[in-house]
Amino acid sequence: MTIHLEYFASLREQRGLANETIATTDPDARALYTSLRERHGFSLSAEHLRVAVNDDFCDWDRPLSDGDRVVFLPPVAGG
Amino acid sequence: MRAPFVLTDLPIPADPPFPIPTQAGAVTTFEGRVRDNDHGHHVSRLEYSAYATLAEKEGAKIVAEAILRHGLLAAACVHRVGDLVPGDTAIRVWAVSPHRLEAFQGCAFIVDEIKARVPIWKRETYVDGRAEWVACNHPPR
């Protein structure tokens, strides 16, 4: 399936991209992050992140569907 | 009324983005500013970036929770994105209630929840030229 990824903050810096579209067979958000972390060497483990699919926060075991927009969120620092 | 949570790359107005109802006896404003130091480092500038769609959605949810939980008459927040320097206003929160306690508590609730939940990130640049994305201390939720 095709997944659209958007990166922010330290993940954007480490990936060197703001967004990309990839083909994957990873069934859920956790598996997808594990694959991406292995491929790109992201410093943060999933425990330090939250995940959003299609502009809503969701659980790590959320199944992915073709065309989903996935964002992994580093620890926030607003305010 | 404008959206209860707004991101802007322009200076934040001092006045609330809504009319203050005449039942209001208390209006609190919190103004968060860029400090020139953080954990012993001298900060020369910083950049806020946001996942805008989700930030505005989650921010609006927080304001609605504050209104319900603290019985506010109105509330709102405006948060800066982009490049800021020490002394700049990074965030303003307004809370309006019949009596002062609810306005103080509602305002504090909004600030605390925004810091914990809204997808906004801060990259500090220090006077020695180093720069880093600041990670807050609390675990994600």
Side-chain angles (χ1 to χ4, degrees):
Chain A
M1 67 190 141
T2 297
I3 297 291
H4 307 287
L5 292 162
E6 195 169 350
Y7 298 108
F8 291 97
S10 58
L11 286 177
R12 180 179 294 192
E13 212 163 83
Q14 290 171 16
R15 180 66 188 96
L17 286 173
N19 51 68
E20 64 181 333
T21 298
I22 62 160
T24 181
T25 54
D26 289 321
D28 58 30
R30 183 182 303 278
L32 177 60
Y33 185 72
T34 303
S35 303
L36 291 168
R37 191 178 182 211
E38 270 170 28
R39 197 175 314 154
H40 304 302
F42 294 143
S43 58
L44 292 164
S45 65
E47 291 70 51
H48 295 99
L49 305 176
R50 294 184 76 184
V51 58
V53 175
N54 302 332
D55 296 330
D56 278 312
F57 290 115
C58 66
D59 293 328
W60 283 95
D61 55 8
R62 151 142 186 172
L64 296 176
S65 306
D66 188 46
D68 276 349
R69 215 167 77 83
V70 180
V71 182
F72 299 105
L73 305 156
V76 300
Chain B
M1 178 176 151
R2 284 174 56 190
F5 182 93
V6 173
L7 296 169
T8 180
D9 53 8
L10 300 172
I12 302 173
D15 290 327
F18 52 80
I20 293 173
T22 49
Q23 313 95 287
V27 180
T28 55
T29 304
F30 172 78
E31 177 177 327
R33 289 189 166 214
V34 178
R35 272 192 316 270
D36 69 357
N37 65 91
D38 192 25
H39 296 93
H41 302 294
H42 295 288
V43 175
S44 59
R45 62 191 170 86
L46 62 78
E47 175 201 341
Y48 280 107
S49 70
Y51 175 4
T53 314
L54 186 52
E56 294 190 337
K57 209 188 271 190
E58 190 70 2
K61 212 165 127 185
I62 289 167
V63 171
E65 285 171 20
I67 289 171
L68 207 65
R69 184 187 286 236
H70 294 286
L72 304 177
L73 298 168
C77 173
V78 181
H79 199 297
R80 281 290 299 271
V81 290
D83 295 319
L84 282 80
V85 295
D88 283 347
T89 298
I91 180 175
R92 270 206 176 91
V93 174
W94 297 270
V96 177
S97 60
H99 301 283
R100 68 185 180 281
L101 183 64
E102 293 78 10
F104 278 128
Q105 290 177 340
C107 193
F109 173 86
I110 292 170
V111 179
D112 290 347
E113 293 298 305
I114 283 169
K115 281 176 168 288
R117 288 163 53 185
V118 175
I120 296 173
W121 298 275
K122 174 164 83 170
R123 187 174 192 265
E124 290 181 341
T125 301
Y126 307 110
V127 290
D128 62 11
R130 287 178 311 111
E132 67 181 21
W133 290 101
V134 175
C136 62
N137 296 319
H138 37 75
R141 59 180 166 118

